[in-house]
Amino acid sequence: MPEGEVVPAAPAAAPRGAVRVALATALKAFLVLIGLALAVFAALSAAGYYLARSGTGPAAPVVENAKALAAENQQLLKKLEKIRPKGQFLVVDTGKNRLTVRDGDRVVREVVVSCGSGGILEDPKGGRTWVFDTPRGERQLRSKAKNPTWIKPDWAFIEEGEAIPKKYGDRIEEGVLGDYALGIGDGYFLHGTLYTRLLGRNVTHGCVRIGDADLEYLYKNVPLGTRVYLF
Amino acid sequence: MRRCVPALVLAALALAGAVPASAADDALSLWRENRLLVAEAALAATPKPYFQLDFERRRIALKTRALVLFEVPIEEYGLWGRRPAIGPTAIERRDAFSRPEIRPGEEKTQEKLDEQILELADMPTAYRIFLAGGVEVEVLSVVEGRWQRLRQRARLWRWRLSRPLVTLRQRRERREATTVYLVLRPADAQRIYWSFFEGLDGILVPPR
């Protein structure tokens, strides 16, 4: 090389190499961090897993006399069989709005009904709240009435925004409960309805509304004292 | 390979049912049946309905007087933590759901009617139920669609992976709980929410 000639250095190579080194260092650090985090997670999980598996739970049973236990189980099964409803009973499914007439295991008739709306009404004058649910549990047919009359309770006036009447006679409303009413206690009835297009929907104030033909069947064929299971 | 042959033969026989269950298994079955029947006999003697959450048969039933009112299958479940005892339990609490308010004097149109009534279809398909004895049940529903299913899978895996950490937190809080997830069909999840109210007694049958 002739004296005095200056060979310039390649300017782009040095910065590119430094960037590569920095990236590689960052990536290494990131991977180490991920590895550490996974290791901590694995350690905590192992500790949690061990604690869960070694936690207290019911002791393994010691069956000393299997024959006696088998005999006791048979007795319990007989007891449950005795408890299970026999003969005619009604089952009301408030979610699906269906009433089933059962005779033991046999379904005699399935009926579309309307059950409680679940709505809440508060008395604007304060102090009273009504929740319009069809009650659940076991009840019995306690009364039967033909051409029932509705004696409107306070909530019926409050819901309409009307004043509560002072005279008892102003509460009487004919023809809205259908041809029959079957009482199941606490003011709840299985009764008819003018709104047959709403059967199958939860629109009532707690009673169970039934179409005319099905209601007549129940009135004529289901005796007083018949158990009614509502859920 | 030759050493494996007897083991393979035994495994094949076991699968075919030729190898009988051990006496211990029979005794355990008897004992479990006894616990279940004792619990049910006590509940069926009252007029109140009760539920049966049976992980062994993968069914949830609502019953009264030993009569099944309805029963739904458990599509999938996961259980973590202290194994609960087979026996009576009750619903202490569940995720709340607000009831519609009826405004006095409001005109009754079809639209208003739909707003003012609670029906089965309005019930949630995912919620939590807290049972007595520290059992927390998360109810989820089977979902349709590829992405929805993937999201649910990811959620369930997150549930599984987080359980040991939940145990550590519970130990710090000095409590032991069992956490469960149940996957039901959406209509069944709604039916359960509708029928299983706070205070409802029941029977828990954990898996073996």
Side-chain angles (χ1 to χ4, degrees):
Chain A
M1 195 187 296
E3 225 177 75
E5 213 173 292
V6 177
V7 178
R16 219 183 273 156
V19 165
R20 253 192 235 130
V21 165
L23 275 172
T25 313
L27 184 64
K28 234 191 251 178
F30 178 71
L31 287 172
V32 164
L33 262 167
I34 295 289
L36 272 171
L38 282 171
V40 167
F41 179 77
L44 288 172
S45 293
Y49 185 86
Y50 170 76
L51 284 171
R53 284 292 174 261
S54 65
T56 54
V62 174
V63 178
E64 285 169 357
N65 191 341
K67 247 186 176 171
L69 199 57
E72 186 185 331
N73 289 355
Q74 285 305 311
Q75 288 303 315
L76 286 165
L77 281 166
K78 279 187 191 153
K79 185 178 177 183
L80 285 170
E81 185 51 42
K82 250 182 153 179
I83 292 173
R84 196 168 292 123
K86 310 280 181 304
Q88 196 173 69
F89 58 94
L90 307 181
V91 178
V92 179
D93 183 338
T94 62
K96 291 193 166 184
N97 291 297
R98 295 290 186 275
L99 182 151
T100 310
V101 183
R102 297 261 303 254
D103 187 350
D105 290 335
R106 191 171 65 96
V107 172
V108 175
R109 192 176 181 114
E110 194 176 84
V111 166
V112 180
V113 301
S114 276
C115 296
S117 68
I120 298 181
L121 176 68
E122 282 189 10
D123 185 352
K125 294 201 173 126
R128 294 187 292 179
T129 304
W130 291 272
V131 180
F132 298 130
D133 279 337
T134 296
R136 301 188 193 183
E138 180 182 310
R139 289 176 173 261
Q140 278 183 306
L141 269 190
R142 298 209 177 165
S143 63
K144 284 185 179 182
K146 223 171 170 181
N147 300 319
T149 302
W150 190 28
I151 310 299
K152 287 174 71 171
D154 288 354
W155 57 254
F157 296 97
I158 292 170
E159 191 183 25
E160 298 298 323
E162 295 169 3
I164 296 170
K166 290 195 169 44
K167 283 197 276 185
Y168 180 83
D170 292 338
R171 290 177 181 265
I172 296 172
E173 198 159 318
E174 305 271 5
V176 292
L177 299 182
D179 298 328
Y180 309 99
L182 287 70
I184 55 173
D186 298 319
Y188 293 99
F189 291 86
L190 315 179
H191 63 72
T193 179
L194 299 173
Y195 308 105
T196 50
R197 66 180 171 85
L198 292 177
L199 286 171
R201 299 202 65 189
N202 292 81
V203 294
T204 80
H205 298 89
C207 288
V208 180
R209 293 182 196 168
I210 305 175
D212 292 339
D214 293 320
L215 186 61
E216 188 173 359
Y217 173 88
L218 292 174
Y219 181 83
K220 288 179 174 170
N221 293 283
V222 182
L224 290 178
T226 298
R227 292 196 189 275
V228 185
Y229 300 100
L230 304 105
F231 69 95
Chain B
M1 184 62 195
R2 277 197 202 149
R3 274 184 237 166
C4 294
V5 167
L8 285 169
V9 167
L10 208 58
L13 284 170
L15 279 168
V19 177
S22 68
D25 277 347
D26 287 342
L28 180 61
S29 297
L30 269 177
W31 180 84
R32 283 172 66 91
E33 190 189 3
N34 179 262
R35 294 288 89 213
L36 171 58
L37 291 171
V38 164
E40 184 162 13
L43 290 171
T46 74
K48 296 190 286 183
Y50 55 94
F51 69 90
Q52 190 167 319
L53 178 48
D54 192 335
F55 288 96
E56 200 173 358
R57 287 176 55 240
R58 295 170 77 114
R59 315 289 286 182
I60 308 175
L62 184 70
K63 299 172 106 169
T64 185
R65 303 280 195 191
L67 171 76
V68 176
L69 294 170
F70 76 84
E71 194 172 60
V72 304
I74 297 172
E75 303 289 326
E76 184 184 333
Y77 75 85
L79 192 148
W80 179 270
R82 178 179 50 89
R83 185 61 56 100
I86 180 170
T89 185
I91 296 179
E92 286 184 343
R93 201 166 43 93
R94 61 171 194 180
D95 283 347
F97 190 80
S98 53
R99 289 174 175 271
E101 265 187 50
I102 298 169
R103 284 174 281 280
E106 198 170 48
E107 195 191 340
K108 287 194 181 357
T109 59
Q110 185 61 50
E111 231 175 53
K112 292 287 178 211
L113 180 72
D114 288 335
E115 280 171 22
Q116 287 183 348
I117 64 178
L118 260 187
E119 298 191 289
L120 203 48
D122 299 322
M123 296 298 103
T125 55
Y127 48 88
R128 288 172 306 165
I129 295 177
F130 299 86
L131 302 180
V135 180
E136 299 172 11
V137 181
E138 187 168 352
V139 177
L140 303 168
S141 291
V142 173
V143 291
E144 298 291 322
R146 191 202 299 180
W147 290 117
Q148 299 281 35
R149 279 201 297 270
L150 272 172
R151 274 177 64 184
Q152 190 172 71
R153 283 287 119 214
R155 182 181 177 171
L156 293 176
W157 270 108
R158 218 173 43 235
W159 186 93
R160 288 186 193 105
L161 290 172
S162 64
R163 290 306 97 188
L165 301 177
V166 166
T167 301
L168 286 176
R169 190 189 71 212
Q170 286 171 357
R171 282 301 173 102
R172 217 183 62 218
E173 292 167 2
R174 293 183 197 283
R175 64 184 184 99
E176 263 188 284
T178 306
T179 52
V180 178
Y181 76 80
L182 298 176
V183 180
L184 309 177
R185 290 184 292 223
D188 293 341
Q190 289 175 315
R191 212 156 183 224
I192 296 291
Y193 191 91
W194 179 275
S195 305
F196 286 29
F197 48 86
E198 285 176 4
L200 180 68
D201 289 322
I203 306 166
L204 185 57
V205 184
R208 285 182 187 241

